[in-house]
Amino acid sequence: MCGIVGYIGQKKAYPILIKGLKRLEYRGYDSAGVALISDNNELNVYKAKGKVSDLQAHCQDKDVSGSAGIAHTRWATHGEPSSTNAHPHYSASGRLALIHNGIIENYATLKEKLIERGIEFRSVTDSEVLVQLIDYVQQSNSLSLLEAVQVALRQVIGAYAIAILDRDHPDTIICARQSSPLVVGLGADGDFFLASDASPIAEYTDKVVYLNDGDIAVMQLGKELQVVNLDNVEQHPKVKQIDVTLGQLEKGGYPYFMLKEIFEQPKCLRDCTRGRINVDHDRITLSAVIDYRDRLISARRIIIVACGTSWHAGLIGKMLIESLCRIPVEVEYASEFRYREPVIYPDDVVIAISQSGETADTLAAIEQARSAGAFVFGVCNAIGASIPRQTTTGVYIHVGPEIGVASTKAFTGQVTVLSMLALAIANEKRTIPGDVYKDMVAELTRIPDKMEQALKTNEQIERLAPIFTYAKNSLYLGRGYNYPVALEGALKLKEISYIHAEGYPAAEMKHGPIALIDSEMPVFVIATRDKLYEKVISNIQEVRARGGRVIALVTEGDEQIRKLADHVIELPDTMECFQPLIASIPLQLLAYHIAVCKGKDVDRPRNLAKSVTVE
Ligand code: M6R
C-alpha cells in the first residue's frame, strides 16, 4: 500500500527521499512523487506514474535542491494510477503540499463544499481534499498551520497518515496519524525523518517515535519534536529503539527478497524460539502466558482472526490448540468477522495474527473483540506496529522485516509461535502428559535443522519448475495439518506467477474439483507420513486414474508414492503437527521458481500490496 517518507535537516533531502521510496517499494505502488522546498524557497512538486526510477528520470533536469521534503508511493484506491492522481497534492494557492496514506470516507461532501467556495481540484483522489481543506481553513481564519491542521482534521472521517510541507515555513514539517501508521526518526544532528514504516529511517538513526492515533507531530528545525492531539493537548510519546538492521533491508546477494527470506527461515526460527525454549530444550517460557495464565487457561473459546497467509497459519493454530489444549477454536477471516455481528463472549480469547500488524481488517476485528470485552492476544512480526499496541498482550514472531510481498518466513514464524503458545497453555492446563510435552518441545528445537535439509530441495525444484510454466490451473491437496499447507502453497503460486491454483482437502476433491483433472493439470499433493497417509495414497490414485500429473511431497525414503507420482520431493520426517514448517518450504520454492521462469517480478506482483492498510 502507499508509502510515506519525509526529511527535514541540514542534508540534501532529495537523495534521502528517493532512497526511502525505494525501501518502501516492497509495499506495492503504481506511482510516486516528491515535494521539496528549494534553496530559493520555492515549493517544487514532481510526480510520475510507474516506478520510483520513472520519478527519478522525470526529475533529472529539475531543481531538486532543498533540505526539507516529503515523498510518496501511491497504491490507487480513488482514481486511476496517473501522475495527476499521484501524491504530493498541493493546494490551490500553491503554498502547501501534502501526502496521505489511508482513505477519507467523507471526502465527497468536503470536496463539494470547497468547490462551492471556489476551490479548483486537479485530481480525482480523496487525498487532495485534505490539502485544499487545510489551506482553505488556514487562509480564511488566519490560523497557524498547526491550528489549521487541527481544525481541518476534526471535520475528516476516515483513516490517514499525512505529512504537510509549507512553502512559507520551510523549517517545519507537520504530520498526523489516524488508523494508518507513521514513524518519526530523530537524527543525531537535530534532523527529523518520517516514514510509514521504519525501513527508510533505519540507516540514519535508531531512535524513533511511533505516533498514536490522534497524534499530530511538529518537526521544526532547532526544536524538540512536539506532539499534540487535535485539541492541542501535549502528548508524551516514548522514544524507542528500532531493531531493524541495514542487512535485513538488503537482498544480501539473492536475486529477490523472497528467495532470501525463504532461505532465512532456519535462522528466523532459531531467533523466534531463542529465550523462549530453555537450554535443555524441554520447557517453553512465554511471558504473555505467565502474565495472563489464568485468562488463557480459562478461555471458554478461542477465536483467531487474520487475513491471507496469516489466516492459513491460524488454521494450523486451531489444530494445535484444539488437540493440545482442548479449547475450541474458530478461525475467521478478519474482513468477514468485522461485519457479520459475531457472537463474542467476555471469556473468549481472540488471537489476531498479522505479519505487518497494520492490516486494516484485522485491526477492525480487534476493535470489535475489545468492545465486546474479549481478551485480545496479538501474534505479530513488525515491532511497534498498531496490532501489538492495540492488543492486551501477545508474542512477536521475531523473524525480521519481511520485504517480499509473498509471505514466507512470517508464515513459519507464526506457526512456530502458535506451536509454542499451544504447548505452553497445554502444559499449564495439564492437557498433555509431561513426557509428550517434553518430546514436542525438543522436536520443535530440531525444526531449523530439518528446514535446512528441506532447503536442499531447491536445485531439484528449480529443475522441475519449467515443466509447470505452461499450466493455467493447478490443484494443491493435503489433509489434516497439511490442508492449510495446501492452501498456502496455492496462494503462493497464484500471487506471484498468476497461475490459478486451488488448495483443497484431499478427500474433498471428489466432491467437485476432480472434474477439473486432466493431463494438463498439475496436482501437488502433500503426502508426508502421518495418520492419514494411506488415505492420501488413495487420493493420489484417484488423480492418476483421471490422467492428472502428480507431484508429491513425501517423507524421505518413501518408495510407495515414488511408484505412483510423476515427481516426488523428499522431506525430513517430523511430528505431524510440525510438518507444515517443513512442507511449506518446497512449495514456497516451487512458486518462486515457476514465477521466475515466467519472467515475473517476484517481489512486486501486480496489484498486490505488502501491508493492506485499507479495507
Ligand atoms: O500483514 P498481514 O499478515 O496481516 O497480511 C495479511 C495478508 O495480506 C498477507 O498474508 C497476504 O496474503 C500475503 N501476500 C500472502 O503472501
Side-chain angles (χ1 to χ4, degrees), residues 463-474:
R463 282 194 304 276
L464 277 178
I467 310 173
F468 304 111
T469 50
Y470 73 89
K472 297 249 179 308
N473 299 292
S474 58

Side-chain angles (χ1 to χ4, degrees), residues 307-310 353-357 359 362 405-407 414 491-492 495 610 612:
C307 303
T309 288
S310 301
I353 308 175
S354 173
Q355 185 287 127
S356 62
T359 299
T362 310
V405 166
S407 192
Q414 289 163 345
L491 177 61
K492 290 294 85 96
E495 68 182 333
K610 180 65 184 163
V612 184

Side-chain angles (χ1 to χ4, degrees), residues 304-370:
I304 295 179
V305 290
C307 303
T309 288
S310 301
W311 185 81
H312 296 156
L315 294 177
I316 296 165
K318 170 185 167 76
M319 282 185 255
L320 284 160
I321 295 168
E322 287 189 339
S323 79
L324 299 177
C325 313
R326 307 311 296 156
I327 302 172
V329 182
E330 290 168 21
V331 187
E332 300 265 4
Y333 284 119
S335 53
E336 290 295 311
F337 181 79
R338 63 182 289 194
Y339 285 118
R340 66 165 179 72
E341 297 178 36
V343 178
I344 308 169
Y345 300 108
D347 53 358
D348 281 339
V349 168
V350 172
I351 301 180
I353 308 175
S354 173
Q355 185 287 127
S356 62
E358 300 294 351
T359 299
D361 285 321
T362 310
L363 278 163
I366 290 173
E367 193 41 50
Q368 194 166 6
R370 273 164 45 129

Side-chain angles (χ1 to χ4, degrees), residues 23 108 113 165 194 236 308 322 378 537 594 599 611:
R23 294 249 185 254
K113 283 190 191 150
L165 204 54
L194 172 70
H236 302 284
E322 287 189 339
I537 290 187
I594 293 175
S611 66

Side-chain angles (χ1 to χ4, degrees), residues 35-272:
L36 297 152
I37 298 189
S38 74
D39 293 341
N40 304 326
N41 273 352
E42 277 168 15
L43 177 63
N44 292 320
V45 178
Y46 308 119
K47 316 196 257 188
K49 183 180 164 186
K51 303 274 178 207
V52 175
S53 52
D54 296 310
L55 175 67
Q56 283 179 282
H58 175 70
C59 291
Q60 225 158 23
D61 55 352
K62 307 280 191 305
D63 176 5
V64 291
S65 66
S67 300
I70 54 179
H72 190 262
T73 46
R74 173 174 186 254
W75 189 83
T77 54
H78 293 70
E80 54 162 15
S82 69
S83 60
T84 314
N85 288 336
H87 302 211
H89 293 289
Y90 49 99
S91 58
S93 69
R95 205 171 48 83
L96 302 183
L98 173 144
I99 50 180
H100 166 229
N101 284 3
I103 288 183
I104 305 305
E105 288 168 19
N106 61 337
Y107 84 98
T109 324
L110 295 170
K111 186 171 177 175
E112 208 177 284
K113 283 190 191 150
L114 289 164
I115 290 172
E116 276 168 19
R117 286 166 177 76
I119 309 287
E120 282 181 24
F121 280 74
R122 298 179 194 89
S123 75
V124 294
T125 64
D126 56 329
S127 307
E128 188 184 349
V129 83
L130 293 171
V131 72
Q132 303 290 16
L133 179 65
I134 293 167
D135 201 2
Y136 176 78
V137 164
Q138 186 179 12
Q139 295 212 33
S140 44
N141 300 290
S142 307
L143 301 175
S144 70
L145 181 60
L146 174 60
E147 289 165 335
V149 169
Q150 288 165 327
V151 172
L153 290 183
R154 272 190 225 123
Q155 301 175 41
V156 166
I157 301 170
Y160 54 78
I162 56 170
I164 309 153
L165 204 54
D166 181 350
R167 186 190 58 201
D168 298 344
H169 294 94
D171 64 343
T172 306
I173 294 177
I174 292 185
C175 60
R177 163 195 167 135
Q178 181 63 46
S179 306
S180 200
L182 213 44
V183 190
V184 175
L186 308 174
D189 310 327
D191 44 0
F192 295 101
F193 301 84
L194 172 70
S196 37
D197 68 49
S199 55
I201 298 178
E203 62 197 278
Y204 305 106
T205 177
D206 61 354
K207 290 193 181 56
V208 291
V209 168
Y210 294 98
L211 296 185
N212 290 313
D213 279 348
D215 283 354
I216 303 175
V218 181
M219 295 173 281
Q220 187 173 2
L221 283 182
K223 296 207 171 160
E224 298 271 298
L225 177 73
Q226 182 196 4
V227 181
V228 293
N229 67 10
L230 288 185
D231 299 321
N232 210 33
V233 177
E234 198 83 26
Q235 306 295 298
H236 302 284
K238 284 198 185 109
V239 177
K240 301 221 161 133
Q241 195 149 359
I242 328 181
D243 70 341
V244 175
T245 65
L246 215 49
Q248 291 172 319
L249 302 173
E250 310 278 354
K251 287 188 200 141
Y254 287 91
Y256 287 99
F257 279 109
M258 183 181 176
L259 191 63
K260 177 186 176 222
E261 288 161 4
I262 292 172
F263 272 88
E264 272 174 2
Q265 289 177 104
K267 176 189 176 296
C268 290
L269 261 64
R270 289 185 186 108
D271 291 345
C272 176

